[in-house]
Each structure stands twice: as structure tokens, then as C-alpha cells.
Amino acid sequence: MSLLRLAGRPMLASMFVAGGLQSLRRPEDVAPVAEPIVRPVADRVPVLPDRTEQLVRLNGAVHVVGGVMLGLGRCPRLAAVALAATLVPTTLAAHRYWDAKDPSDRAQQRIHFLKNLSMMGGLLIAADDTGSAPSLLWRGRHAAQDLRHDAHLVQRSVRAAARPAVRAGGIRARLCV
């Protein structure tokens, strides 16, 4: 593993672990801000809990688990995708700068919105990072290419071995008649 991955993943994960722990411990602090986003989502997805505090805790748990996994390098691509998916509603709920009336509050929320957008970019890069190992798609394509090549070699070998046998069979047929 490169030094950049070794240092970069925990640095990226730290914000999620800290924020997730806060959401797990005190969901009532975040619930009023999350309510405008949580209601429409909870109404459309029946498997999600009905109470906003429960969804805030669930989101916090995903942030903690995903952050720890990303930071430790355990299933980092999956962890990055999970964190990116949960970052969208978090950002839309907490940093609605377009709704802020006060110019200083608007500027502050815009900064947080762009910070989350930057973190989303980092997570998408982490989700695409194979750690210098070929992806499953690449491995599958090359395995299929190798199989086609091997099949072609077998076909050529069978044809090359069959020619003398055909000739010998033709000569034997002439002699036996």
C-alpha cells in the first residue's frame, strides 16, 4: 500500500467517524435540521424507520462503520461508496445555503456545502481506487481473452494432428480394398 493511501484514507475517514459518533450520541441535535429531507425519503422507502432521530442514528452508524472501514483499509471501496451515498442527504439537510437569509450564514453554509462536495469527490476517487490491483472487470476481460487464445491454440493443434491421421486413414482404406 502506498504512503498516500496509508495516510489519506484515515484523514478522509476522520470527519465521518467524528460526525457519526456525534449523531449516534445526540440525534436530537441534528433531527430538526434533518426533518425536511428525512420525511420525503422515509415516506418513499418503507424499510426505513419512521422517526427522524432513528434515521439520524442510522446515518451516524453508517458514517462510523464506513469511516472506520475506510480508515483501516478494510473494504475501502465499499466503505467509500456507502459514505458517499449517505453524504448526499446529510449535505442537503444540513447545508441548505440557498435557503439562508443572513448573508454571513449563507456564506458559512455555502462553505460547508462545498466542503461536503469536496469530500464526496475524495470518496468517489477512493471508491475507484483499486490499490494497484486490477479490478474484477479487468480480470474478467483478460480471463475471457486468455480462454479465447487457448481455445484457438487447441483448435490449431487438433487440426495439425488430424491431418496426418486423415492421410494415414486414406492410405489404409486404399490398401484394404
Side-chain angles (χ1 to χ4, degrees), residues 36-152:
I37 298 297
V38 166
R39 270 307 106 222
V41 172
D43 291 342
R44 289 190 178 108
V45 182
V47 296
L48 292 176
D50 291 336
R51 293 187 48 226
T52 303
E53 289 83 9
Q54 291 173 330
L55 278 171
V56 168
R57 273 201 173 111
L58 178 64
N59 190 48
V62 171
H63 280 191
V64 170
V65 171
V68 169
M69 288 175 60
L70 180 65
L72 294 176
R74 302 288 182 222
C75 301
R77 296 176 77 192
L78 178 64
V81 167
L83 290 171
T86 60
L87 190 58
V88 172
T90 300
T91 303
L92 291 176
H95 305 300
R96 302 172 65 86
Y97 70 89
W98 52 89
D99 287 343
K101 303 292 185 227
D102 182 37
S104 64
D105 186 39
R106 178 182 291 242
Q108 192 68 19
Q109 289 303 324
R110 184 180 302 123
I111 288 170
H112 287 298
F113 181 87
L114 292 173
K115 173 208 40 121
N116 282 13
L117 196 63
S118 300
M119 288 172 40
M120 173 85 71
L123 289 169
L124 293 177
I125 290 170
D128 189 46
D129 180 26
T130 61
S132 300
S135 68
L136 291 176
L137 181 62
W138 184 91
R139 291 179 198 178
R141 286 180 182 160
H142 280 74
Q145 184 180 8
D146 290 345
L147 284 174
R148 282 192 298 272
H149 179 69
D150 291 347
H152 181 69

